Amino acid sequence: MLDRLEAMSPEQRQRLLENLPPERRMRIEERLRKYESLTPEQRQRLREQFERFRQLPPERQQAVRQLFQRFSQLPEDRRRAVRRGVWELQMLGPARRAIRIERPWFKKPL
């Protein structure tokens, strides 16, 4: 929806948003503000991530949604720690990442 809104003129966007329930409109406007504040590189990365998500089978998409929902419910300090851990995993090579993932302490629930 963000791509669609981004492609609209401000007038078209306003008309579309006016027809939404207030709570949904506020959520979309907030997401749009965050999206518009991203750099072009960040926007492109977000589009690529979303495209990879769309290519997942439906059951995998559902699992990702559930994980994201659980992540969103964590306290902010824990979310920062999880983000840092994910970033660290991304920086490791495949062999070292596999070793780390197999460690018992890694398998603790969110």
Side-chain angles (χ1 to χ4, degrees):
M1 178 167 231
L2 286 174
D3 282 338
R4 197 171 94 191
L5 286 169
E6 187 180 36
M8 292 178 173
S9 71
E11 296 79 21
Q12 291 171 316
R13 187 184 301 170
Q14 188 64 31
R15 279 194 303 272
L16 176 76
L17 292 172
E18 284 174 352
N19 293 324
L20 297 175
E23 186 178 307
R24 181 156 187 224
R25 177 182 175 168
M26 286 175 33
R27 281 195 320 264
I28 291 173
E29 287 174 334
E30 178 62 26
R31 289 179 184 162
L32 188 58
R33 274 192 293 279
K34 287 180 181 180
Y35 181 76
E36 289 174 338
S37 73
L38 299 175
T39 65
E41 295 81 16
Q42 290 170 321
R43 288 182 190 185
Q44 182 61 33
R45 189 170 55 240
L46 188 60
R47 284 188 195 103
E48 290 167 1
Q49 289 172 343
F50 181 68
E51 188 54 38
R52 283 194 307 272
F53 172 79
R54 285 186 31 179
Q55 292 175 5
L56 293 173
E59 62 277 359
R60 188 74 177 118
Q61 286 184 19
Q62 185 60 28
V64 170
R65 283 186 188 101
Q66 289 172 345
L67 280 174
F68 184 76
Q69 185 177 31
R70 287 177 53 204
F71 173 80
S72 298
Q73 294 171 351
L74 292 173
E76 182 56 36
D77 61 327
R78 184 71 180 125
R79 282 195 306 249
R80 276 194 301 274
V82 170
R83 278 190 206 103
R84 186 175 48 251
V86 169
W87 181 83
E88 289 171 1
L89 283 174
Q90 289 173 338
M91 296 298 111
L92 294 175
R96 293 183 66 204
R97 184 171 36 244
I99 291 168
R100 182 168 295 182
I101 288 172
E102 289 305 313
R103 292 187 176 154
W105 57 263
F106 186 86
K107 296 183 185 224
K108 288 183 182 177
L110 291 176

